[in-house]
Amino acid sequence: MTGNQTPDPYAPRTVNVTEPWTRAYWARYFEVPVEEIETAVATVGQDPGAVAAHLGKSWPSPDGGIV
């Protein structure tokens, strides 16, 4: 976490890629294709911070991630 950002208490605690809607959620959150989310999870696991770092994104996102 950077600065004074705090995670959204309602955000999922893991990057789950087992369901189409969760893959879509994380792809939209990190603004990357679903395939990049799947690759990141396969590489670094389901921790959102680790996935964000792998993708070169911040966690939590300064703007909430969802556009």
Side-chain angles (χ1 to χ4, degrees), residues 1-64:
M1 206 172 337
T2 60
N4 62 0
Q5 299 170 344
T6 55
D8 177 351
Y10 301 106
R13 301 213 186 272
T14 61
V15 181
N16 178 350
V17 294
T18 60
E19 299 291 331
W21 72 269
T22 57
R23 287 191 299 271
Y25 171 87
W26 287 109
R28 188 170 175 202
Y29 186 94
F30 288 121
E31 299 176 346
V32 298
V34 168
E35 295 80 10
E36 287 187 36
I37 298 296
E38 293 169 328
T39 299
V41 169
T43 303
V44 300
Q46 295 182 328
D47 177 66
V51 171
H54 182 80
L55 296 171
K57 304 288 184 172
S58 61
W59 175 257
S61 177
D63 60 3

